[in-house]
Amino acid sequence: MRLLGSIILLLVLGSALAYKSYSGYQVLKTAPLTPAAMPYVNRLSRRFDFWGTPGVGRPATVMVSPQDAPIVIAALNRMRISHEVMVADLGPEVERERAENEALRLALPRSPRVAAYDRFMEFEEINAHVLETVAANPDIASLVDLGLSTEGRELLGIKLSNGAAGQKSVWFDCAIHAREWIAPPVCLRIIDEVLADPALRDLADWYILPVANPDGYSFSWTDDRFWRKTRRPNPGSNCIGTDPNRNFDFLWEANDVFCSETYPGSSAFSEPECAAIGNFITANADSLILYVAVHSYGELILYPYGHTVEPAPNAADLAAAGTVSADAIAAVAGTRYSVENSAAGLYFTNGASDDFAYGSGAVLYSYTYELSGGGLIGFNPPPSLIQPVVDEVWPGLKALVEYTLAN
Ligand code: ARG
Ligand code: ZN
């Protein structure tokens, strides 16, 4: 009897442990940050999980575990950064969202031929869609097989081209950060549009990688909704994963804070996903003009560099092209993306993908798009926001490509 009891207890615990509950986790929201607050936030963000790209003039949100909450609250008070509790307990919201996604997944099945914009797609569904798209459009589409992730998932991109020799090319990747689920639908929309419009393929060859961090993305479905990093273990630490957007081989900077959400990895390109993307960018430098990484959230169009506020050589062009894109986005439904230098406001980063693509000399134009947030938490737009976000961002990306190829 005792044995049976323990077995049942273990089973119950086991299933509860499989999906992180976030019970008791809080989300704190600060007042809009002053320049003086930025260095503190920068330092705190090495240890705690800030959402939504902190910057001067914007509020920052930080998710804290029950153990970390008093530490972060005391630190914010000490730094005189006023803040409020935005979500007192994340647990129910995570549960509600999970149930909603599961119900939608069952209610809205998809043929691999069509991308879903009424619900989020799992990694396997997205890859099946990429393969199916290539198979169905042999004249236009080809598979860009970048190899395997740490856990052996395929990094499948797609090339869309009219086949003309000497074409310039543009690159888009989505969901290098696992939990940013609103990003892959943007990549899938690009594929839909470029497949349907030969004029877009006359402009350039298009490379699109819908899920740049497949292990992390899958893990955010099965185990932990807010997983950001890769899934490669860190020897000597219980904390798994590297921030892929600190792992690129451009001014990569070491640290050993394995548990940090921005841990840069054991070396530049220690993560196979980043190495694969980086090598592809470098190998195609002759044709590439534009690099875009799609993230969430913040309604931002960020351009290099992330490590210094010194303007990049063509900073004026980078800003001008970004503004054309932001205007095209605003024209759809009034959402105003702000165009900024990544490091403006002293949120310094090293080893980010956009800075690598630009700093390695591969592209003249390089951006990180931070899409809209939404939902109770800000971080999690509900499925009903996929379509509107995609609808407004696509014209902005199209305008960006048109501008950068004309200039
Ligand atoms: N939220 C993104 C990150 O922290 C922003 C990256 C923007 N690019 C940059 N070079 N800082 O990874
Ligand atoms: Zn991100």
Side-chain angles (χ1 to χ4, degrees):
M1 211 45 220
R2 290 240 336 248
L3 183 64
L4 186 65
S6 333
I7 290 174
I8 289 172
L9 183 67
L10 274 178
L11 285 175
V12 170
L13 271 178
S15 62
L17 284 177
Y19 196 77
K20 184 166 171 173
S21 79
Y22 284 98
S23 169
Y25 278 63
Q26 296 179 36
V27 182
L28 309 175
K29 181 178 182 170
T30 71
L33 297 172
T34 60
M38 284 313 296
Y40 298 119
V41 171
N42 220 10
R43 222 176 324 132
L44 276 180
S45 74
R46 280 190 215 153
R47 242 183 92 192
F48 303 105
D49 192 2
F50 278 81
W51 291 351
T53 322
V56 171
R58 291 193 297 271
T61 50
V62 55
M63 174 176 72
V64 286
S65 67
Q67 304 83 273
D68 286 346
I71 304 170
V72 174
I73 290 169
L76 291 172
N77 286 337
R78 234 178 7 253
M79 298 158 190
R80 303 199 194 296
I81 299 173
S82 62
H83 57 274
E84 59 184 47
V85 176
M86 185 174 149
V87 181
D89 181 2
L90 259 179
E93 177 66 3
V94 169
E95 227 2 271
R96 190 202 56 71
E97 198 199 347
R98 182 169 163 79
E100 176 180 35
N101 282 322
E102 186 54 19
L104 285 175
R105 197 174 62 81
L106 296 172
L108 302 167
R110 266 295 170 293
S111 140
R113 286 221 159 195
V114 263
Y117 299 103
D118 47 8
R119 65 167 174 83
F120 294 107
M121 290 169 86
E122 291 173 282
F123 173 70
E124 287 75 15
E125 291 186 283
I126 295 175
N127 261 15
H129 174 63
V130 167
L131 289 168
E132 184 76 20
T133 303
V134 170
N137 301 276
D139 301 341
I140 301 169
S142 52
L143 199 62
V144 178
D145 187 344
L146 293 177
L148 298 180
S149 67
T150 291
E151 294 179 342
R153 292 185 180 82
E154 285 181 296
L155 285 159
L156 296 185
I158 192 166
K159 177 184 184 182
L160 301 172
S161 166
N162 65 14
Q167 283 273 74
K168 292 294 177 198
S169 64
V170 293
W171 166 279
F172 296 85
D173 61 61
C174 291
I176 200 164
H177 286 144
R179 61 195 179 188
E180 298 168 7
W181 288 9
I182 191 79
V186 169
C187 272
L188 298 180
R189 175 64 176 269
I190 299 171
I191 295 172
D192 286 353
E193 294 282 346
V194 179
L195 267 179
D197 185 353
L200 291 172
R201 302 191 302 272
D202 286 339
L203 275 178
D205 291 348
W206 298 62
Y207 296 105
I208 301 122
L209 177 62
V211 184
N213 175 6
D215 296 347
Y217 185 78
S218 300
F219 193 73
S220 72
W221 275 78
T222 56
D223 287 74
D224 181 347
R225 176 64 188 87
F226 300 123
W227 193 260
R228 164 182 167 106
K229 299 193 282 183
T230 62
R231 288 294 301 164
R232 203 170 60 82
N234 296 308
S237 168
N238 289 328
C239 290
I240 289 177
T242 285
D243 184 348
N245 212 29
R246 302 291 181 276
N247 189 244
F248 280 72
D249 191 8
F250 181 72
L251 299 176
W252 180 85
E253 211 177 52
N255 71 49
D256 55 7
V257 191
F258 304 112
C259 298
S260 163
E261 292 297 337
T262 53
Y263 173 61
S266 51
S267 61
F269 285 158
S270 59
E271 306 311 289
E273 301 84 359
C274 303
I277 296 169
N279 289 338
F280 186 88
I281 301 282
T282 313
N284 291 280
D286 284 351
S287 72
L288 279 171
I289 290 286
L290 169 68
Y291 172 91
V292 176
V294 181
H295 290 243
S296 74
Y297 67 86
E299 294 173 351
L300 298 165
I301 299 175
L302 301 169
Y303 59 85
Y305 283 112
H307 68 284
T308 172
V309 290
E310 279 297 308
N314 65 335
D317 282 348
L318 286 164
T323 302
V324 166
S325 181
D327 289 346
I329 293 172
V332 176
T335 310
R336 191 79 234 172
Y337 278 52
S338 120
V339 181
E340 291 177 22
N341 167 283
S342 289
L346 304 178
Y347 180 62
F348 289 119
T349 52
N350 287 59
S353 68
D354 51 1
D355 291 336
F356 169 81
Y358 182 83
S360 67
V363 299
L364 260 179
Y365 292 92
S366 193
Y367 297 91
T368 293
Y369 277 60
E370 297 279 359
L371 304 171
S372 295
L376 169 68
I377 316 178
F379 203 82
N380 292 60
S384 60
L385 278 182
I386 299 173
Q387 194 67 59
V389 165
V390 164
D391 282 347
E392 67 183 3
V393 169
W394 162 248
L397 295 176
K398 181 181 173 200
L400 182 74
V401 169
E402 287 167 348
Y403 182 97
T404 53
L405 281 147
N407 285 273

